[in-house]
Amino acid sequence: HRLLDLGSDVAHIIRGLTAASPEERYPDARALLNDLDRASGGREVRGPTGYAAGHRPVPLVAREAELLELVRAWASVGATSGSVVVVRGPRGSGKSRLLSAVTPRLREAGARRVLESRCREGDPPLATLRRILEAYLASLEQASPEDRLAGEAALLAAAGDQLGPFATLIAPKLAGILGPGAGVEAASGGFAEGAAELVLRLARLDGPQAIFV
């Protein structure tokens, strides 16, 4: 076997194994092995983005207990209260896969929408709230015409006269429904509190929302 030089190619491979976001990692073992072969043969590696993800879903093994715990947490959500579950594990341990597997179960259990917001190192302030609000809009775009109208009406009702301008400054894409948010001034922390309150109101008016952060 050849020994690999610890040069830029190997560094690129290591980044593809340790990236924080699953989208920036190798999609499967075949892609990783192919890049290792390319590096050992002196050819340029493609990196994670050079390979398409396989169409076969990765099987979820020995995670039934975790799935049941997440479903139980969802069942504890009431009309006026929520639930928070922290999923811990090292990178590549299957956290995203677990949440992907529980999504259909949450929908069957009554989740109106399942929203996802990925956190990245170096994110600007309020980026997570912006992505949650944008994920809500994305869910409306994929919904039926009736569901989309109901979701837009819920958003307008949740925003009211005060929260809309705050939310559109955090997530400008909301302006298409709520109107522009220019000219708004808020005390320190006001934007985050306003956007968080909007998310809570949406859950009350549009139906239970499962949010993965």
Side-chain angles (χ1 to χ4, degrees):
H1 297 282
R2 281 185 168 182
L3 293 176
L4 302 182
D5 292 331
L6 295 179
S8 59
D9 284 343
V10 174
H12 197 40
I13 291 173
I14 292 174
R15 284 195 297 271
L17 291 170
T18 59
S21 173
E23 287 78 12
E24 297 174 357
R25 301 181 205 140
Y26 283 98
D28 50 45
R30 287 192 180 91
L32 172 60
L33 286 173
N34 189 65
D35 257 6
L36 289 172
D37 286 340
R38 294 176 69 89
S40 65
R43 294 178 293 163
E44 183 180 0
V45 301
R46 295 177 178 174
T49 58
Y51 300 92
H55 296 292
R56 291 185 302 171
V58 178
L60 191 66
V61 179
R63 287 290 183 265
E64 190 61 30
E66 289 82 355
L67 286 171
L68 289 176
E69 185 175 351
L70 290 169
V71 173
R72 284 195 210 99
W74 177 258
S76 70
V77 173
T80 59
S81 64
S83 179
V84 176
V85 177
V86 179
V87 180
R88 289 192 179 97
R91 292 177 182 176
S93 61
K95 299 185 297 296
S96 297
R97 180 68 184 88
L98 175 65
L99 296 178
S100 175
V102 80
T103 294
R105 299 196 186 193
L106 296 184
R107 294 189 187 281
E108 291 173 4
R112 172 71 165 163
R113 307 187 194 281
V114 179
L115 312 179
E116 182 176 338
S117 172
R118 296 192 181 277
C119 302
R120 304 182 181 92
E121 187 175 353
D123 272 345
L126 308 181
T128 298
L129 278 171
R130 172 176 58 79
R131 294 191 185 109
I132 291 173
L133 295 172
E134 289 178 349
Y136 182 84
L137 286 181
S139 73
L140 297 185
E141 294 174 358
Q142 300 171 1
S144 66
E146 296 80 7
D147 188 25
R148 180 172 183 172
L149 287 175
E152 290 179 351
L155 179 58
L156 284 167
D161 295 331
Q162 298 179 342
L163 294 182
F166 287 100
T168 52
L169 284 180
I170 295 173
K173 291 182 180 180
L174 293 177
I177 298 175
L178 300 180
V184 174
E185 295 182 3
S188 177
F191 288 108
E193 292 173 0
E197 176 64 22
L198 177 61
V199 172
L200 293 175
R201 291 185 184 182
L202 279 175
R204 299 189 190 105
L205 295 170
D206 188 42
Q209 318 274 316
I211 302 175
F212 297 155
V213 178

